[in-house]
């Protein structure tokens, strides 16, 4: 990874340290949820609906209860009898910077209560309707087959556009027409006037389809009853939030539940909200007085993991005669599934429909629609890849239709660095960025001027070479509160830092240690990061929305500052000096007048480690806006439609990069995840039966390492003025422009044949069909 900015004066920050957690994970010493077991444990499994929409008439448990080893069969009636509450997902974005979504006509938003087990009807295939508990895993799976559920099938709909309107089957009786959010943002009158006076108007419609997170580790949970309460082992995006939500479901007090989330095998947003199985295994443990374990199969995960994307959007761009952008209109319809788990994708995407471009006025209608599908959730870069795809594809088409060069058109309308901070027409306040510079770096790295020669070479081999370029801006916000607890262990010469985020592969144990080590003047290996156990972690927002490094880094820096102040006070009498004459550098407290010193660990021995302990909270409400530019080249075989990515360049502004090596890894993973959706991944539902057709890796295309070239990456670090470390976010930038840049490159390759758009995923068969259709159209 290249860095286009000047070197920094830091000792640890900005250095590409290898991740300290990797040795543990690579040598099989990771502690994932399914690795935990307990003496005398029993097993839970779930009866799941085979129908997308049906009344539950009767659940006959008798045959299952007579099978060997079966301890319990529990359903929605038992849930109500025991007083369990719906899961409080709190899905409506509520930080001060979030746009305010409302129900139709400005009313309240109907969320759709999420009881752990339904009592009236099922609303999607795979919804759990009963839990079975038995002595062994084999016994419980046999017993699940023996539970006899009588259903009355109901009309169903999985497509958000068809679910609109009074004639569509209502997922919830409370919401006829299925529209639960309908809000308009921006200046409608000014936008309409700009369109009326425009020289050019370009309009396109897109459906950015549904995908699922497919984390390497399927979800699992182990609930243990213990003295005074329960312990739950369950991987998640944040143990503190999961604990809070499960306390509400089960009616427990905080002291009665400990949640442990050790190593997490992938998240991408999929694990950020509580799943019904987690409170249900706790409930079963309470009823039976024994540990209860659940592990999902991969097919269960495909049926019941919260899913991502699924946005239908119509976008229009108004331009004057020289290509200046005048206005943008968008109509966004988000498929939230059977109930609202999160409105983050709709809210965050809506706020950034104008992307990194200066568009003076815009209006957006944002709707959320219930369907008979699994609920959607924030999925890597939540809502931003969808709107970035729509905008960048629209700009490419505007250039083609109106006779502009696509790069010149972008350059003319990018927001200037001198305009920062910049408020876009929907109200988002961009903190900093050098958008044009990032584009120039990406073009230089991609050898932009050498493309014609490479295209000619491909043509000589019978291939079509296309090129795509996409600029992006995304936002990072998230739960505003974070806490750092610092304690000194002089006997081990170690500093513990307890923090409330939750890594799932991002390298927090390394990068957080770098921040603490920087300000403590210690080697990074003397800092131990503690996460994921609510016995020690009491406050924290978890990992989502690109918040972790910014929130944790800021509060760690503030906590170390407080620790040093305490240390000065404690060291002064030991060094025969006044506090004002005590300096702290390189882990040493020094009396400036006598030059006497004492190091941090010796000081802790003298005054007691508890004297130097710090608990520091911080509320961080400012949004930051990572941004960048990606360039991609794809070679298409016109005979088979097979696309081959030959080059992918990524230039990202993550603010200050604490560990560029980790950021580079995040960029690589993000690119692959976005390309996966662009080329292979799709949650297909049969329109007649409502059955999901992607139930395993036999049906769901996943990216493979051999499908990619070596990525060329660079950082254009423009520190954010919102926090002392200048951090933005680095986990989602690879994904945000990937859908657009891949599709644009394919369309560019096929445009000489008459192809102007192609639907994702652009599989070889999809591309081949587009080529054949273009040939038929062009044949006299």
């Amino acid at each position: 990874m290249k860095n286009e900015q000047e070197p920094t004066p830091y000792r640890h920050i900005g250095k590409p340290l290898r991740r300290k957690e990797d040795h543990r994970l690579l040598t099989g010493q990771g502690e994932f949820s399914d690795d935990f077991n307990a003496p005398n444990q029993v097993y839970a499994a779930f009866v799941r609906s085979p129908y997308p929409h049906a009344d539950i008439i009767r659940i006959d448990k008798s045959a299952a209860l007579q099978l060997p080893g079966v301890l319990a069969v529990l359903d929605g009636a038992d849930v109500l009898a025991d007083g369990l509450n719906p899961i409080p997902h709190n899905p409506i974005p509520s930080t001060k910077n979030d746009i305010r979504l409302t129900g139709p006509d400005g009313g309240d938003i109907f969320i759709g209560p999420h009881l752990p087990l339904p009592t009236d009807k099922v609303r999607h295939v795979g919804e759990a309707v009963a839990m079975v508990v038995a002595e062994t895993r084999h016994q419980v799976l046999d017993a699940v087959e023996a539970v006899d559920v009588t259903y009355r099938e109901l009309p169903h709909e999985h497509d958000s556009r068809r679910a609109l309107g009074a004639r569509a089957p209502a997922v919830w009786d409370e919401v006829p027409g299925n529209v639960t959010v309908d809000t308009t943002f921006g200046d409608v009158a000014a936008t309409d006037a700009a369109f009326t006076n425009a020289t050019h108007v370009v309009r396109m419609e897109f459906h950015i389809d549904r995908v699922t997170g497919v984390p390497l580790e399927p979800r699992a949970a182990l609930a243990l009853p213990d003295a005074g309460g329960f312990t739950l082992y369950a991987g998640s995006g944040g143990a503190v939030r999961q604990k809070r939500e499960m306390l509400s479901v089960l009616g427990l007090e905080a002291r009665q539940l400990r949640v442990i989330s050790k190593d997490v095998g992938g998240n991408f947003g999929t694990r950020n909200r509580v799943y019904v199985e987690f409170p249900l295994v706790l409930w079963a443990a309470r009823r039976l007085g024994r540990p209860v374990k659940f592990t999902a199969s991969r097919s269960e995960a495909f049926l019941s993991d919260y899913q991502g994307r699924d946005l239908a959007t119509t976008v229009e761009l108004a331009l004057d005669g020289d290509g200046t952008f005048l206005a943008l209109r968008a109509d966004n319809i988000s498929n939230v599934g059977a109930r609202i788990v999160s409105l983050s994708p709709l809210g965050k995407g809506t706020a950034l429909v104008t992307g990194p471009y200066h568009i003076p006025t815009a209006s957006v209608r944002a709707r959320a629609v219930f369907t008979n599908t699994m609920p959607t959730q924030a999925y890597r870069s939540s809502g931003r890849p969808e709107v970035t795809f729509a905008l960048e594809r629209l700009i490419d088409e505007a250039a083609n239709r109106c006779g502009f060069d696509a790069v010149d058109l972008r350059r003319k309308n990018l927001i200037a660095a001198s305009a920062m901070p910049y408020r876009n027409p929907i109200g988002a306040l961009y903190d900093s960025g050098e958008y044009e510079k990032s584009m120039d770096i990406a073009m230089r790295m991609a050898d932009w001027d050498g493309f014609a020669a490479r295209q000619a070479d491909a043509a000589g081999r019978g291939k079509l070479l296309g090129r795509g370029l996409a600029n992006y801006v995304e936002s990072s916000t998230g739960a505003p509160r974070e806490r750092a607890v610092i304690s000194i262990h002089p006997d081990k010469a170690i500093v513990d830092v307890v923090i409330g985020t939750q890594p799932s592969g991002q390298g927090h144990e390394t990068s957080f240690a770098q921040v603490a080590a920087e300000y403590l003047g210690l080697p990074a290996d003397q800092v131990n990061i503690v996460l994921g156990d609510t016995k020690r972690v009491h406050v924290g927002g978890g990992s989502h929305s690109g918040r972790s490094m910014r929130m944790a880094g800021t509060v760690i820096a503030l906590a170390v500052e407080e620790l040093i102040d305490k240390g000065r006070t404690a060291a002064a009498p030991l060094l025969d000096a006044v506090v004002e004459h005590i300096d702290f550098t390189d882990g040493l407290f020094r009396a400036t007048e006598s030059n006497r010193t004492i190091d941090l660990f010796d000081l802790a021995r003298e005054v007691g480690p508890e004297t130097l302990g710090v608990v520091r909270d911080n509320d961080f409400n400012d949004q930051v806006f990572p941004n960048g530019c990606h360039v991609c080249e794809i070679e298409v075989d016109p005979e088979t439609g097979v696309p081959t990515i030959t080059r992918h360049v990524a230039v990202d502004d993550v603010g200050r990069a604490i560990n560029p090596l980790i950021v580079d890894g995040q960029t690589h993973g993000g690119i692959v995840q976005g390309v996966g959706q662009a080329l292979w991944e799709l949650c297909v539902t049969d329109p007649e039966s409502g059955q999901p057709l992607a139930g395993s890796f036999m049906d769901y295309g996943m990216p493979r390492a051999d499908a990619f070239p070596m990525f060329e990456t660079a950082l254009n670090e423009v520190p954010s003025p919102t926090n002392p470390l200048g951090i933005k976010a680095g986990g989602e930038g690879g994904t945000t422009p990937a859908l657009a840049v891949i599709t644009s490159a394919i369309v560019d390759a096929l445009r000489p044949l008459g192809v102007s758009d192609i639907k994702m995923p652009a599989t070889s068969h999809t591309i081949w069909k587009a080529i054949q259709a273009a040939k038929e159209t062009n044949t006299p």
Side-chain angles (χ1 to χ4, degrees), residues 12 31 96 100 201 249 283 294 352 356 415 465 472 487 503 528 540 575 582 585 597 643 683 721 763 777:
H12 298 292
E31 296 180 288
K96 73 173 188 177
R100 182 176 175 268
V201 172
V249 174
W283 177 47
F294 163 75
L352 293 177
I415 299 164
L465 184 67
Y472 78 92
S487 54
N528 178 48
L575 300 177
I582 302 293
T585 55
T597 64
C683 290
T763 62
T777 301

Side-chain angles (χ1 to χ4, degrees), residues 317-383:
L317 182 64
L319 307 87
D320 71 8
D322 69 357
T324 299
F325 296 165
L326 302 176
L328 181 135
R329 271 198 298 242
D331 185 354
N332 291 348
I333 303 171
S334 176
N335 186 341
V336 295
R339 50 182 52 85
I340 300 178
V341 168
S342 174
L343 287 171
S344 165
L346 181 62
K348 290 182 176 179
T350 296
L352 293 177
V353 291
T354 57
Y357 302 100
H358 174 61
I359 303 179
T361 184
S363 63
V364 188
R365 185 182 184 187
R367 287 179 282 180
V369 178
F370 289 125
T371 63
N372 296 114
T373 59
M374 189 63 194
T376 49
Q377 151 69 327
Y379 174 66
R380 199 169 191 168
S381 193
S382 185

Side-chain angles (χ1 to χ4, degrees), residues 424-578:
N424 80 7
I426 307 302
L429 183 64
Y430 300 174
D431 55 338
S432 66
E434 297 172 343
Y435 301 159
E436 185 176 7
K437 180 179 178 180
S438 291
M439 187 173 73
D440 287 338
I441 295 168
M443 292 173 65
R444 185 178 71 242
M445 290 173 61
D447 184 22
W448 192 265
D449 293 337
F451 175 74
R454 293 189 295 276
Q455 192 175 46
D457 176 72
R461 293 180 284 107
K463 304 296 174 62
L464 303 170
L465 184 67
R467 176 175 60 182
L469 179 149
N471 295 305
Y472 78 92
V473 62
E474 55 137 343
S475 61
S476 177
T477 175
R481 172 156 292 192
E482 199 56 64
R483 170 180 290 178
V485 180
I486 301 182
S487 54
I488 313 295
H489 299 278
D491 53 330
K492 300 177 181 178
I494 289 291
V495 176
D496 274 356
V497 179
V498 179
I499 199 76
T501 66
Q502 179 64 55
S504 53
Q506 299 95 325
H508 290 182
E509 293 173 44
T510 303
S511 53
F512 292 0
Q514 287 178 252
V515 174
E518 182 70 48
Y519 293 101
L520 288 169
L522 298 173
D525 59 10
Q526 286 187 273
V527 178
N528 178 48
I529 303 298
V530 179
L531 315 110
D533 183 348
T534 60
K535 186 176 182 179
R536 298 194 66 182
V537 181
H538 304 297
V539 175
S543 293
H544 62 94
S545 309
R547 71 180 292 279
S548 297
M549 191 67 251
R550 185 176 74 263
M551 302 289 195
T554 298
V555 76
I556 288 170
L558 294 172
V560 171
E561 182 180 340
E562 187 173 325
L563 183 151
I564 292 170
D565 286 344
K566 285 187 172 187
R568 286 194 179 100
T569 301
L574 297 176
L575 300 177
D576 296 324
V578 295

Side-chain angles (χ1 to χ4, degrees), residues 9 111 164 184 291 404 506 519 537 587 700:
I111 293 169
L164 293 167
T184 298
F404 300 113
Q506 299 95 325
Y519 293 101
V537 181
Y700 189 87

Side-chain angles (χ1 to χ4, degrees), residues 187-209:
D187 190 329
V188 174
T191 301
D192 289 348
F195 270 87
T196 300
N197 296 319
T199 305
H200 306 287
V201 172
V202 182
R203 180 180 187 273
M204 298 184 78
E205 295 183 11
F206 303 102
H207 181 205
I208 296 88
D209 262 305

